Amino acid sequence: MSGTPLAGLRVVEFAHMVMGPTTGLILGDLGADVVKIEPMPDGDNTRRLTGSGIGFFTMASRNKRSVMLDLKSPEGLEVARDLVARADVLTENFRPGALERLGLGYAACAAQNPRLIYCSLKGFLPGPYEHRTALDEVVQMMGGLAYMTGPIGQPLRAGASVIDIMGGSYGAIAVLAALAERERTGRGQHVQSGLFESVAMLMAQHMAQAAITGVEPAPMSARDVAWPVYDIFNTKDGQQIFIGVVTDTQWKVLCAEFGLAALADDPGLATQAERRAARPRTLPVIAAAFAQFSAADLVARCERLGLPFAPIAKPADLFADPHLRESGGLVEVSLPDGRKIGLPGLPISMDGARSTARRDVPAPGADTRDVLAELGYAAAEIDRLIAAGAAG
């Protein structure tokens, strides 16, 4: 990456689970020094999640330093205030009022550090819902995403923490915008990102469709597809592949290359609208043509022809994906047991370079001594704070 564009910026992260740590992950990957504050005595509870949450901490914790503090201890809280006083950015996703009760709310922090960008990552932006407890699944259900994802009558959350990650990404965008404004004004500000509002942004296309047509959009499983071919097909060797045909040129290529002259010559299939309306009779013919090929052969042919296609992959397949591996799209980090794996980096490049892991996933409190020393604490004082349980 063109250096690390946020190098020299200090971020203090009071965050757990996915949404808040995603903001810190993005800022850290872009070069900021992200200091993650973890509770005593064992660190962030996210480290100990099991089931579908077992990968959360590993996914979001590269390029961060870990400091353990007891924020219920006056001395631990004082260390946190010292960190905030020297920070450029603070991120937090605690329940509304939690940091205010500790004296670490925006007003108190801004009084101490007027240049601070204070980023709150919440379930809802200020309004009637702001005190509700939100989860990714909660907002997917109430925001329309689960309805649009599942079969009719069976709302289904998306297959990843898509709103947590999206909300965290919008938080990073807000921080970057506030930093740009600080260049002009010299002052920080309070920025917020909301989970519910992130779902609403995703639903904007469907809201606009409803307004234009006067008809509620059907779930994606039952949607009125806009294209003649936009479907998953079975291959000769029992695999599946998605193929789309979305232009007149692609239709001609499809018919010419897969022996579909009867479709090419059909006067009732001259336009996109006609071909889309004829899907019930054309798709079985097209599916039979595709079923003559193995998945590998069909992939090779579609790639050569320039047809949109996608083999149906599972998440673990991405570890070996040649594009991710060869393009620098996988960043090496350590698992809790010490094994090394590659996880996706930021989906951007700068001057042709991708983000890297300058720092591995930290152990709880791995950087407490170094960070306190940078704040000016003497070694003996650090030892005393650790012995007293204020830091760890």
Side-chain angles (χ1 to χ4, degrees):
M1 189 167 285
S2 86
T4 40
L6 299 185
L9 285 173
R10 166 68 61 81
V11 179
V12 179
E13 177 180 291
F14 294 93
H16 61 291
M17 298 295 281
V18 179
M19 185 190 189
T22 294
T23 301
L25 170 70
I26 294 169
L27 300 176
D29 275 10
L30 293 174
D33 175 23
V34 180
V35 177
K36 180 177 182 64
I37 306 302
E38 301 196 53
M40 296 285 289
D42 301 314
D44 190 338
N45 286 334
T46 310
R47 292 179 180 271
R48 293 176 289 283
L49 292 178
T50 57
S52 61
I54 199 169
F56 288 175
F57 194 88
T58 300
M59 176 271 290
S61 297
R62 65 175 179 260
N63 291 330
K64 297 180 183 180
R65 296 197 285 173
S66 171
V67 170
M68 283 205 302
L69 296 175
D70 179 4
L71 297 182
K72 297 178 181 178
S73 154
E75 291 179 309
L77 188 57
E78 188 60 30
V79 173
R81 290 188 177 125
D82 285 346
L83 268 169
V84 171
R86 293 165 173 79
D88 295 284
V89 179
L90 181 152
T91 65
E92 62 92 11
N93 69 333
F94 284 87
R95 290 190 179 193
L99 286 185
E100 281 79 2
R101 287 191 290 273
L102 291 171
L104 292 172
Y106 171 65
C109 290
Q112 184 183 24
N113 179 358
R115 289 177 55 82
L116 181 70
I117 310 298
Y118 191 108
C119 179
S120 295
L121 300 130
K122 302 299 184 184
F124 306 89
L125 294 182
Y129 300 160
E130 65 182 300
H131 295 295
R132 290 188 185 181
T133 299
L135 300 169
D136 196 305
E137 196 138 345
V138 167
V139 297
Q140 286 195 37
M141 294 292 173
M142 69 183 296
L145 179 57
Y147 171 83
M148 291 302 298
T149 301
I152 292 175
Q154 299 177 53
L156 181 69
R157 69 157 285 163
S161 300
V162 58
I163 305 305
D164 277 325
I165 293 170
M166 185 178 180
S169 299
Y170 279 126
I173 292 170
V175 166
L176 296 175
L179 287 168
E181 186 166 318
R182 192 178 74 175
E183 286 295 304
R184 299 193 302 272
T185 67
R187 297 191 63 81
Q189 61 179 287
H190 188 195
V191 300
Q192 299 183 66
S193 174
L195 282 179
F196 178 60
E197 288 76 9
S198 294
V199 182
M201 177 66 82
L202 290 179
M203 292 300 103
Q205 67 187 84
H206 302 308
M207 294 167 66
Q209 178 185 345
I212 292 167
T213 66
V215 179
E216 285 280 355
M220 297 298 277
S221 59
R223 71 192 185 280
D224 186 13
V225 176
W227 313 111
V229 181
Y230 207 71
D231 301 87
I232 296 170
F233 298 93
N234 295 318
T235 65
K236 183 171 68 175
D237 53 349
Q239 298 188 53
Q240 291 181 308
I241 181 172
F242 168 86
I243 297 176
V245 176
V246 299
T247 68
D248 290 337
T249 299
Q250 289 173 0
W251 177 259
K252 292 174 183 176
V253 167
L254 169 78
C255 293
E257 293 289 335
F258 289 95
L260 301 172
L263 297 183
D265 297 336
D266 189 330
L269 301 175
T271 67
Q272 282 276 59
E274 290 171 332
R275 294 192 288 269
R276 188 185 71 82
R279 280 170 51 85
R281 70 179 177 89
T282 60
L283 282 180
V285 178
I286 295 167
F290 289 155
Q292 299 176 43
F293 297 88
S294 69
D297 290 341
L298 199 52
V299 162
R301 182 169 286 217
C302 287
E303 187 158 18
R304 175 174 60 81
L305 298 173
L307 294 179
F309 72 94
I312 308 304
K314 298 176 182 177
D317 295 336
L318 299 181
F319 288 120
D321 183 89
H323 179 82
L324 290 176
R325 291 174 67 90
E326 295 175 25
S327 67
L330 296 177
V331 176
E332 187 177 83
V333 296
S334 295
L335 296 176
D337 63 8
R339 285 180 294 135
K340 302 285 188 180
I341 62 166
L343 292 178
L346 294 188
I348 62 174
S349 69
M350 298 183 69
D351 276 343
R354 301 292 299 273
S355 60
T356 60
R358 304 182 318 280
R359 293 181 178 274
D360 204 346
V361 177
D367 306 288
T368 299
R369 288 184 178 275
D370 289 344
V371 172
L372 267 61
E374 291 168 11
L375 294 175
Y377 287 77
E381 178 63 7
I382 296 173
D383 289 339
R384 190 189 67 78
L385 291 170
I386 291 174

